[in-house]
Amino acid sequence: MKMICDRTLLSNAVAGVSKAVTQRSSIPVLEGILMKAEGFSLTLTGYDLEMGITTSIEANVLEPGEVVLSAKLLGDMVRRLSSSEVEITATETNATTIKGGITEFDIMGMNPGDFPELPSPGADHTLDLETPTFREMVETTLFAVSQDDKKPAHTGELFAIEPDKLTVVALDGYRLAIIEKPVKAAKDINIIIPAKTLAEAIKLFTDDDEVVHIAANRRFVVFSSRTYTVISRLIEGDFLDYKRVIPEGYHTRVTVDVRDFSNSIERASLIITERLKNPLRITFDGNITVRCQTTLGKVVDELDAEIEGEPVEIGFNNRYLLDALRYSRCDKLVFEVSGPLSPVKVLPKDGGDFLFLVLPVRFKND
């Protein structure tokens, strides 16, 4: 193999596909990137046996061929070259030369025949999403994905695809995030996509003028655009029937300014640490009073709000409440409260397409 390409294009492509490369593996080839030069392009592939990422860049291919190179080593070398072009040559024994300007690296590649083949998912085209819509739906909900492997289905996001709408749901037992958008889908299917896949996909699909094509079946999902293709295994298992846990109605309705409420919670959180995880004691009565006490001290803070209905005092985990405020991306939010121990609904004031649930914390003296 021998080819010449733009250094910046190659560096960006290596960084992109490296998101699917295993950092440490008992199988060395999984720590590498498969590079295949043919025609007028260089195709790069990273695959950790759960998620695969491929992309192609323009290249002047002098001799077609393929080689597997260490993702970290390749990325570091290309990034530090001072020239605008990179020449890569690999022999049949995988001895590889990476040259840019007067700098030349000689390294040993790995046998491309040992690189695992990406699965053929046989997934049918399901729907298309504008890139900003795809990113918004994932970013608005990803914070609520469970980190606990005891319930594997909740370590991913549910994509409930219907012919006329897409609903994305994440939950971890303490909070829940739902967002819904109108779409035109080719079929009706529910799939659970690993959080890692979605977190990396939104970093790759950044061009707002592109469309993300989604193909899915019961085992795989494929996201593709003009620049990248991401293939991932799905998570098997039963996702919680989230509709059943959403309270109907409310006894207290509170309209808050997101920035003011966030600042108040952050002030109160100064006396909360990993070791001292006391909840916030928040009272909705005429205005909002935020209290907290730990062995470091105590704090009381107040802010104005529009409050309708019965006064109520609720305990909240400070981080869960801050996440709901931060990822709402709204100026004003509505909190609908059914009681001191009922899940609290968090909604956009001016109407919108998302709903958060935050479970209250029971006080030790209750």
Side-chain angles (χ1 to χ4, degrees):
M1 180 185 89
K2 184 174 183 179
M3 65 90 201
I4 301 170
C5 66
D6 181 84
R7 184 186 68 85
T8 301
L9 285 179
L10 179 59
S11 181
N12 290 340
V14 170
V17 300
S18 290
K19 299 179 188 301
V21 173
T22 303
Q23 297 300 315
R24 289 190 181 93
S25 175
S26 58
I27 307 173
V29 76
L30 293 181
E31 298 178 23
I33 292 174
L34 174 63
M35 305 178 69
K36 186 173 184 178
E38 59 182 352
F40 299 96
S41 67
L42 173 69
T43 301
L44 298 91
T45 303
Y47 183 38
D48 63 5
L49 301 182
E50 293 294 327
M51 175 177 67
I53 299 175
T54 64
T55 189
S56 294
I57 60 173
E58 290 184 4
N60 179 12
V61 179
L62 304 176
E63 294 178 15
E66 54 187 347
V67 68
V68 177
L69 300 179
S70 163
K72 185 178 186 310
L73 195 56
L74 176 63
D76 289 344
M77 288 176 174
V78 172
R79 191 165 55 250
R80 284 169 171 76
L81 291 175
S82 58
S83 61
S84 60
E85 287 189 337
V86 180
E87 179 182 304
I88 299 180
T89 305
T91 68
E92 291 183 357
T93 60
N94 302 310
T96 303
T97 300
I98 300 171
K99 185 176 181 181
I102 60 172
T103 305
E104 184 174 306
F105 295 104
D106 290 313
I107 61 173
M108 276 304 300
M110 292 172 275
N111 184 0
D114 294 336
F115 196 85
E117 286 189 25
L118 289 177
S120 300
D124 299 325
H125 175 258
T126 305
L127 77 156
D128 294 334
L129 287 177
E130 299 292 333
T131 296
T133 301
F134 174 67
R135 285 205 314 270
E136 178 193 356
M137 296 190 79
V138 173
E139 290 172 351
T140 302
T141 52
L142 199 61
F143 74 94
V145 169
S146 175
Q147 305 300 312
D148 188 350
D149 291 337
K150 291 178 182 176
K151 294 184 178 178
H154 296 162
T155 62
E157 292 204 327
L158 174 67
F159 272 51
I161 303 168
E162 300 175 58
D164 59 348
K165 69 179 178 181
L166 167 63
T167 306
V168 177
V169 186
L171 57 90
D172 66 0
Y174 303 99
R175 61 244 176 112
L176 178 147
I178 305 170
I179 188 168
E180 187 176 287
K181 296 280 189 182
V183 299
K184 291 183 179 178
K187 62 180 178 179
D188 199 320
I189 188 172
N190 287 356
I191 56 176
I192 305 172
I193 304 173
K196 178 189 175 184
T197 299
L198 293 169
E200 301 302 352
I202 59 176
K203 295 174 188 174
L204 296 174
F205 301 124
T206 57
D207 187 341
D208 288 351
D209 295 327
E210 286 192 352
V211 172
V212 179
H213 308 285
I214 302 176
N217 57 23
R218 295 295 174 186
R219 296 184 59 208
F220 294 96
V221 64
V222 181
F223 299 103
S224 58
S225 72
R226 183 174 51 82
T227 49
Y228 284 97
T229 297
V230 180
I231 179 172
S232 173
R233 294 183 186 276
L234 297 174
I235 299 176
E236 298 180 2
D238 296 323
F239 203 86
L240 178 74
D241 184 359
Y242 63 93
K243 294 179 182 178
R244 290 175 50 197
V245 304
I246 301 173
E248 294 185 8
Y250 57 87
H251 296 155
T252 309
R253 190 174 193 268
V254 184
T255 304
V256 300
D257 181 274
V258 171
R259 178 176 293 180
D260 290 346
F261 201 13
S262 297
N263 289 340
S264 179
I265 295 168
E266 287 174 350
R267 287 191 290 268
S269 298
L270 294 175
I271 61 170
I272 299 173
T273 67
E274 281 299 309
R275 188 171 57 86
L276 306 170
K277 293 183 179 180
N278 287 14
L280 300 175
R281 188 182 290 264
I282 298 180
T283 305
F284 300 113
D285 184 9
N287 59 10
I288 299 176
T289 304
V290 180
R291 296 182 177 87
C292 187
Q293 183 168 348
T294 71
T295 56
L296 288 177
K298 66 179 182 179
V299 60
V300 179
D301 199 15
E302 291 188 1
L303 66 149
D304 294 331
E306 300 173 27
I307 300 178
E308 308 167 22
E310 305 170 5
V312 63
E313 184 177 70
I314 306 182
F316 283 107
N317 176 295
N318 63 314
R319 184 169 63 85
Y320 294 166
L321 195 53
L322 274 173
D323 282 346
L325 294 168
R326 183 179 300 118
Y327 290 101
S328 72
R329 303 181 186 181
C330 293
D331 295 325
K332 298 275 189 180
L333 283 175
V334 171
F335 285 64
E336 293 184 352
V337 186
S338 299
L341 297 178
S342 297
V344 176
K345 289 189 286 188
V346 182
L347 306 147
K349 178 183 182 248
D350 299 325
D353 43 31
F354 72 84
L355 164 70
F356 298 155
L357 279 191
V358 182
L359 268 64
V361 177
R362 186 187 294 270
F363 299 120
K364 290 182 180 179
N365 59 350
D366 286 351

